[in-house]
mmCIF file of all heavy atoms in Angstrom:
data_model
loop_
_atom_site.group_PDB
_atom_site.id
_atom_site.type_symbol
_atom_site.label_atom_id
_atom_site.label_comp_id
_atom_site.label_asym_id
_atom_site.label_seq_id
_atom_site.Cartn_x
_atom_site.Cartn_y
_atom_site.Cartn_z
ATOM 1 N N TRP A 598 241.841 39.618 268.411
ATOM 2 C CA TRP A 598 240.523 39.842 269.011
ATOM 3 C C TRP A 598 240.568 39.667 270.519
ATOM 4 O O TRP A 598 239.906 40.387 271.261
ATOM 5 C CB TRP A 598 239.491 38.908 268.403
ATOM 6 C CG TRP A 598 238.159 38.927 269.102
ATOM 7 C CD1 TRP A 598 237.559 37.896 269.760
ATOM 8 C CD2 TRP A 598 237.270 40.037 269.231
ATOM 9 N NE1 TRP A 598 236.359 38.286 270.276
ATOM 10 C CE2 TRP A 598 236.145 39.598 269.966
ATOM 11 C CE3 TRP A 598 237.312 41.355 268.790
ATOM 12 C CZ2 TRP A 598 235.079 40.431 270.286
ATOM 13 C CZ3 TRP A 598 236.243 42.202 269.096
ATOM 14 C CH2 TRP A 598 235.148 41.742 269.839
ATOM 15 N N ARG A 599 241.368 38.755 271.008
ATOM 16 C CA ARG A 599 241.490 38.557 272.460
ATOM 17 C C ARG A 599 241.975 39.838 273.142
ATOM 18 O O ARG A 599 241.585 40.122 274.275
ATOM 19 C CB ARG A 599 242.448 37.411 272.760
ATOM 20 C CG ARG A 599 241.851 36.027 272.515
ATOM 21 C CD ARG A 599 242.914 34.959 272.750
ATOM 22 N NE ARG A 599 242.333 33.632 272.601
ATOM 23 C CZ ARG A 599 242.268 32.719 273.567
ATOM 24 N NH1 ARG A 599 242.725 33.006 274.765
ATOM 25 N NH2 ARG A 599 241.753 31.536 273.346
ATOM 26 N N LEU A 600 242.849 40.582 272.462
ATOM 27 C CA LEU A 600 243.297 41.862 272.999
ATOM 28 C C LEU A 600 242.208 42.917 272.867
ATOM 29 O O LEU A 600 241.902 43.642 273.816
ATOM 30 C CB LEU A 600 244.558 42.331 272.260
ATOM 31 C CG LEU A 600 245.793 41.438 272.349
ATOM 32 C CD1 LEU A 600 246.916 42.037 271.504
ATOM 33 C CD2 LEU A 600 246.250 41.263 273.786
ATOM 34 N N HIS A 601 241.606 42.987 271.691
ATOM 35 C CA HIS A 601 240.661 44.065 271.404
ATOM 36 C C HIS A 601 239.336 43.905 272.137
ATOM 37 O O HIS A 601 238.655 44.896 272.400
ATOM 38 C CB HIS A 601 240.425 44.138 269.891
ATOM 39 C CG HIS A 601 239.586 45.300 269.471
ATOM 40 N ND1 HIS A 601 239.922 46.615 269.739
ATOM 41 C CD2 HIS A 601 238.399 45.354 268.795
ATOM 42 C CE1 HIS A 601 238.998 47.425 269.249
ATOM 43 N NE2 HIS A 601 238.065 46.687 268.676
ATOM 44 N N ARG A 602 238.977 42.676 272.473
ATOM 45 C CA ARG A 602 237.672 42.482 273.106
ATOM 46 C C ARG A 602 237.617 43.124 274.497
ATOM 47 O O ARG A 602 236.535 43.357 275.028
ATOM 48 C CB ARG A 602 237.332 40.999 273.211
ATOM 49 C CG ARG A 602 238.121 40.266 274.278
ATOM 50 C CD ARG A 602 237.766 38.797 274.350
ATOM 51 N NE ARG A 602 238.585 38.174 275.387
ATOM 52 C CZ ARG A 602 238.735 36.862 275.515
ATOM 53 N NH1 ARG A 602 238.127 36.034 274.681
ATOM 54 N NH2 ARG A 602 239.494 36.376 276.483
ATOM 55 N N VAL A 603 238.769 43.423 275.120
ATOM 56 C CA VAL A 603 238.773 44.181 276.376
ATOM 57 C C VAL A 603 238.020 45.488 276.184
ATOM 58 O O VAL A 603 237.280 45.936 277.057
ATOM 59 C CB VAL A 603 240.220 44.432 276.851
ATOM 60 C CG1 VAL A 603 240.258 45.434 277.995
ATOM 61 C CG2 VAL A 603 240.870 43.118 277.266
ATOM 62 N N HIS A 604 238.201 46.088 275.040
ATOM 63 C CA HIS A 604 237.485 47.329 274.703
ATOM 64 C C HIS A 604 235.994 47.065 274.529
ATOM 65 O O HIS A 604 235.153 47.852 274.981
ATOM 66 C CB HIS A 604 238.079 47.908 273.421
ATOM 67 C CG HIS A 604 237.433 49.165 272.943
ATOM 68 N ND1 HIS A 604 237.461 50.344 273.667
ATOM 69 C CD2 HIS A 604 236.745 49.447 271.812
ATOM 70 C CE1 HIS A 604 236.828 51.291 272.996
ATOM 71 N NE2 HIS A 604 236.375 50.765 271.869
ATOM 72 N N HIS A 605 235.653 45.944 273.929
ATOM 73 C CA HIS A 605 234.254 45.652 273.597
ATOM 74 C C HIS A 605 233.462 45.060 274.758
ATOM 75 O O HIS A 605 232.233 44.973 274.675
ATOM 76 C CB HIS A 605 234.178 44.708 272.394
ATOM 77 C CG HIS A 605 234.254 45.424 271.088
ATOM 78 N ND1 HIS A 605 233.153 45.920 270.431
ATOM 79 C CD2 HIS A 605 235.318 45.751 270.319
ATOM 80 C CE1 HIS A 605 233.525 46.502 269.314
ATOM 81 N NE2 HIS A 605 234.847 46.421 269.229
ATOM 82 N N THR A 606 234.116 44.652 275.822
ATOM 83 C CA THR A 606 233.377 44.086 276.937
ATOM 84 C C THR A 606 232.870 45.153 277.903
ATOM 85 O O THR A 606 232.298 44.811 278.949
ATOM 86 C CB THR A 606 234.223 43.051 277.715
ATOM 87 O OG1 THR A 606 235.484 43.623 278.064
ATOM 88 C CG2 THR A 606 234.431 41.794 276.895
ATOM 89 N N ASP A 607 233.053 46.406 277.577
ATOM 90 C CA ASP A 607 232.431 47.482 278.361
ATOM 91 C C ASP A 607 230.924 47.399 278.140
ATOM 92 O O ASP A 607 230.459 47.484 276.993
ATOM 93 C CB ASP A 607 232.969 48.838 277.899
ATOM 94 C CG ASP A 607 232.821 49.921 278.960
ATOM 95 O OD1 ASP A 607 232.141 49.660 279.978
ATOM 96 O OD2 ASP A 607 233.370 51.012 278.767
ATOM 97 N N ILE A 608 230.155 47.224 279.206
ATOM 98 C CA ILE A 608 228.715 47.002 279.052
ATOM 99 C C ILE A 608 227.918 48.293 278.978
ATOM 100 O O ILE A 608 226.700 48.273 278.812
ATOM 101 C CB ILE A 608 228.173 46.100 280.175
ATOM 102 C CG1 ILE A 608 228.420 46.724 281.550
ATOM 103 C CG2 ILE A 608 228.790 44.715 280.089
ATOM 104 C CD1 ILE A 608 227.817 45.940 282.694
ATOM 105 N N ALA A 609 228.580 49.410 279.118
ATOM 106 C CA ALA A 609 227.994 50.713 278.826
ATOM 107 C C ALA A 609 228.985 51.432 277.926
ATOM 108 O O ALA A 609 230.109 50.960 277.709
ATOM 109 C CB ALA A 609 227.724 51.503 280.108
ATOM 110 N N LEU A 610 228.575 52.557 277.386
ATOM 111 C CA LEU A 610 229.443 53.279 276.468
ATOM 112 C C LEU A 610 229.373 54.763 276.792
ATOM 113 O O LEU A 610 228.298 55.357 276.802
ATOM 114 C CB LEU A 610 229.004 53.032 275.017
ATOM 115 C CG LEU A 610 230.038 53.339 273.935
ATOM 116 C CD1 LEU A 610 231.214 52.376 274.017
ATOM 117 C CD2 LEU A 610 229.411 53.280 272.553
ATOM 118 N N ASP A 611 230.531 55.335 277.082
ATOM 119 C CA ASP A 611 230.614 56.776 277.292
ATOM 120 C C ASP A 611 232.038 57.218 277.015
ATOM 121 O O ASP A 611 232.851 56.441 276.498
ATOM 122 C CB ASP A 611 230.140 57.181 278.696
ATOM 123 C CG ASP A 611 230.993 56.615 279.820
ATOM 124 O OD1 ASP A 611 232.099 56.097 279.540
ATOM 125 O OD2 ASP A 611 230.562 56.685 280.981
ATOM 126 N N VAL A 612 232.353 58.458 277.365
ATOM 127 C CA VAL A 612 233.649 59.022 277.016
ATOM 128 C C VAL A 612 234.800 58.205 277.590
ATOM 129 O O VAL A 612 235.878 58.117 276.982
ATOM 130 C CB VAL A 612 233.706 60.498 277.465
ATOM 131 C CG1 VAL A 612 233.682 60.612 278.983
ATOM 132 C CG2 VAL A 612 234.899 61.223 276.880
ATOM 133 N N SER A 613 234.596 57.560 278.726
ATOM 134 C CA SER A 613 235.665 56.761 279.325
ATOM 135 C C SER A 613 236.002 55.527 278.495
ATOM 136 O O SER A 613 237.117 54.995 278.578
ATOM 137 C CB SER A 613 235.283 56.339 280.751
ATOM 138 O OG SER A 613 234.311 55.310 280.752
ATOM 139 N N SER A 614 235.046 55.048 277.691
ATOM 140 C CA SER A 614 235.301 53.885 276.838
ATOM 141 C C SER A 614 236.381 54.173 275.807
ATOM 142 O O SER A 614 236.998 53.248 275.277
ATOM 143 C CB SER A 614 234.013 53.445 276.137
ATOM 144 O OG SER A 614 232.963 53.230 277.058
ATOM 145 N N GLY A 615 236.592 55.447 275.512
ATOM 146 C CA GLY A 615 237.585 55.839 274.518
ATOM 147 C C GLY A 615 239.015 55.587 274.929
ATOM 148 O O GLY A 615 239.929 55.710 274.101
ATOM 149 N N VAL A 616 239.251 55.253 276.205
ATOM 150 C CA VAL A 616 240.610 54.925 276.657
ATOM 151 C C VAL A 616 240.698 53.500 277.188
ATOM 152 O O VAL A 616 241.728 53.095 277.709
ATOM 153 C CB VAL A 616 241.101 55.920 277.736
ATOM 154 C CG1 VAL A 616 241.153 57.322 277.186
ATOM 155 C CG2 VAL A 616 240.223 55.869 278.991
ATOM 156 N N ARG A 617 239.627 52.741 277.051
ATOM 157 C CA ARG A 617 239.582 51.367 277.580
ATOM 158 C C ARG A 617 240.152 50.401 276.529
ATOM 159 O O ARG A 617 239.433 49.825 275.715
ATOM 160 C CB ARG A 617 238.150 50.986 277.937
ATOM 161 C CG ARG A 617 238.003 49.544 278.480
ATOM 162 C CD ARG A 617 236.531 49.234 278.656
ATOM 163 N NE ARG A 617 236.249 47.836 278.830
ATOM 164 C CZ ARG A 617 235.661 47.312 279.929
ATOM 165 N NH1 ARG A 617 235.313 48.095 280.933
ATOM 166 N NH2 ARG A 617 235.411 46.026 279.994
ATOM 167 N N PHE A 618 241.457 50.247 276.536
ATOM 168 C CA PHE A 618 242.138 49.323 275.641
ATOM 169 C C PHE A 618 243.185 48.551 276.444
ATOM 170 O O PHE A 618 243.767 49.075 277.391
ATOM 171 C CB PHE A 618 242.826 50.072 274.491
ATOM 172 C CG PHE A 618 241.874 50.780 273.569
ATOM 173 C CD1 PHE A 618 241.573 52.117 273.766
ATOM 174 C CD2 PHE A 618 241.276 50.112 272.520
ATOM 175 C CE1 PHE A 618 240.690 52.778 272.927
ATOM 176 C CE2 PHE A 618 240.392 50.760 271.664
ATOM 177 C CZ PHE A 618 240.091 52.099 271.874
ATOM 178 N N HIS A 619 243.418 47.319 276.041
ATOM 179 C CA HIS A 619 244.443 46.530 276.709
ATOM 180 C C HIS A 619 245.823 47.094 276.368
ATOM 181 O O HIS A 619 246.067 47.497 275.224
ATOM 182 C CB HIS A 619 244.352 45.066 276.275
ATOM 183 C CG HIS A 619 245.123 44.146 277.156
ATOM 184 N ND1 HIS A 619 246.483 43.935 277.002
ATOM 185 C CD2 HIS A 619 244.741 43.384 278.227
ATOM 186 C CE1 HIS A 619 246.900 43.090 277.915
ATOM 187 N NE2 HIS A 619 245.867 42.731 278.679
ATOM 188 N N PRO A 620 246.756 47.123 277.335
ATOM 189 C CA PRO A 620 248.092 47.661 277.057
ATOM 190 C C PRO A 620 248.796 47.002 275.877
ATOM 191 O O PRO A 620 249.497 47.680 275.112
ATOM 192 C CB PRO A 620 248.851 47.408 278.365
ATOM 193 C CG PRO A 620 247.795 47.371 279.417
ATOM 194 C CD PRO A 620 246.594 46.775 278.764
ATOM 195 N N LEU A 621 248.622 45.703 275.693
ATOM 196 C CA LEU A 621 249.271 45.036 274.567
ATOM 197 C C LEU A 621 248.705 45.519 273.236
ATOM 198 O O LEU A 621 249.442 45.607 272.241
ATOM 199 C CB LEU A 621 249.130 43.513 274.690
ATOM 200 C CG LEU A 621 249.910 42.862 275.832
ATOM 201 C CD1 LEU A 621 249.651 41.357 275.863
ATOM 202 C CD2 LEU A 621 251.399 43.151 275.713
ATOM 203 N N GLU A 622 247.420 45.824 273.194
ATOM 204 C CA GLU A 622 246.852 46.391 271.968
ATOM 205 C C GLU A 622 247.428 47.767 271.692
ATOM 206 O O GLU A 622 247.750 48.109 270.544
ATOM 207 C CB GLU A 622 245.322 46.477 272.057
ATOM 208 C CG GLU A 622 244.717 47.098 270.804
ATOM 209 C CD GLU A 622 243.204 47.185 270.813
ATOM 210 O OE1 GLU A 622 242.576 46.686 271.765
ATOM 211 O OE2 GLU A 622 242.635 47.763 269.860
ATOM 212 N N ILE A 623 247.579 48.581 272.736
ATOM 213 C CA ILE A 623 248.132 49.924 272.564
ATOM 214 C C ILE A 623 249.575 49.855 272.079
ATOM 215 O O ILE A 623 249.985 50.607 271.181
ATOM 216 C CB ILE A 623 248.034 50.706 273.889
ATOM 217 C CG1 ILE A 623 246.571 51.001 274.221
ATOM 218 C CG2 ILE A 623 248.831 52.003 273.812
ATOM 219 C CD1 ILE A 623 245.851 51.865 273.211
ATOM 220 N N LEU A 624 250.368 48.958 272.650
ATOM 221 C CA LEU A 624 251.756 48.798 272.220
ATOM 222 C C LEU A 624 251.830 48.313 270.775
ATOM 223 O O LEU A 624 252.650 48.804 269.980
ATOM 224 C CB LEU A 624 252.488 47.829 273.148
ATOM 225 C CG LEU A 624 252.746 48.337 274.569
ATOM 226 C CD1 LEU A 624 253.229 47.189 275.459
ATOM 227 C CD2 LEU A 624 253.758 49.470 274.569
ATOM 228 N N LEU A 625 250.984 47.357 270.427
ATOM 229 C CA LEU A 625 250.948 46.856 269.056
ATOM 230 C C LEU A 625 250.540 47.960 268.086
ATOM 231 O O LEU A 625 251.151 48.127 267.019
ATOM 232 C CB LEU A 625 249.984 45.676 268.955
ATOM 233 C CG LEU A 625 249.755 45.110 267.549
ATOM 234 C CD1 LEU A 625 251.049 44.559 266.980
ATOM 235 C CD2 LEU A 625 248.668 44.018 267.587
ATOM 236 N N SER A 626 249.525 48.717 268.454
ATOM 237 C CA SER A 626 249.054 49.796 267.592
ATOM 238 C C SER A 626 250.141 50.844 267.367
ATOM 239 O O SER A 626 250.334 51.331 266.245
ATOM 240 C CB SER A 626 247.812 50.450 268.211
ATOM 241 O OG SER A 626 247.341 51.506 267.394
ATOM 242 N N MET A 627 250.869 51.193 268.428
ATOM 243 C CA MET A 627 251.952 52.157 268.272
ATOM 244 C C MET A 627 253.041 51.595 267.366
ATOM 245 O O MET A 627 253.606 52.313 266.534
ATOM 246 C CB MET A 627 252.521 52.541 269.640
ATOM 247 C CG MET A 627 253.643 53.575 269.567
ATOM 248 S SD MET A 627 253.164 55.138 268.747
ATOM 249 C CE MET A 627 252.019 55.809 269.977
ATOM 250 N N GLY A 628 253.347 50.310 267.504
ATOM 251 C CA GLY A 628 254.333 49.696 266.630
ATOM 252 C C GLY A 628 253.924 49.769 265.169
ATOM 253 O O GLY A 628 254.745 50.062 264.286
ATOM 254 N N ILE A 629 252.650 49.515 264.899
ATOM 255 C CA ILE A 629 252.134 49.596 263.529
ATOM 256 C C ILE A 629 252.231 51.024 263.014
ATOM 257 O O ILE A 629 252.630 51.262 261.859
ATOM 258 C CB ILE A 629 250.686 49.079 263.482
ATOM 259 C CG1 ILE A 629 250.655 47.569 263.725
ATOM 260 C CG2 ILE A 629 250.021 49.420 262.142
ATOM 261 C CD1 ILE A 629 249.273 47.006 263.922
ATOM 262 N N LYS A 630 251.880 51.997 263.839
ATOM 263 C CA LYS A 630 251.981 53.394 263.418
ATOM 264 C C LYS A 630 253.425 53.792 263.140
ATOM 265 O O LYS A 630 253.695 54.528 262.181
ATOM 266 C CB LYS A 630 251.361 54.311 264.479
ATOM 267 C CG LYS A 630 249.844 54.355 264.451
ATOM 268 C CD LYS A 630 249.280 55.391 265.400
ATOM 269 C CE LYS A 630 249.385 54.970 266.838
ATOM 270 N NZ LYS A 630 248.668 55.895 267.745
#
Side-chain angles (χ1 to χ4, degrees):
W598 171 244
R599 284 176 176 242
L600 299 177
H601 186 58
R602 74 180 179 195
V603 169
H604 179 64
H605 275 272
T606 52
D607 202 351
I608 59 176
L610 199 67
D611 63 12
V612 67
S613 74
S614 306
V616 299
R617 179 186 165 119
F618 295 94
H619 195 277
L621 291 178
E622 178 179 356
I623 292 298
L624 291 169
L625 175 62
S626 180
M627 181 58 69
I629 291 171
K630 282 187 286 188

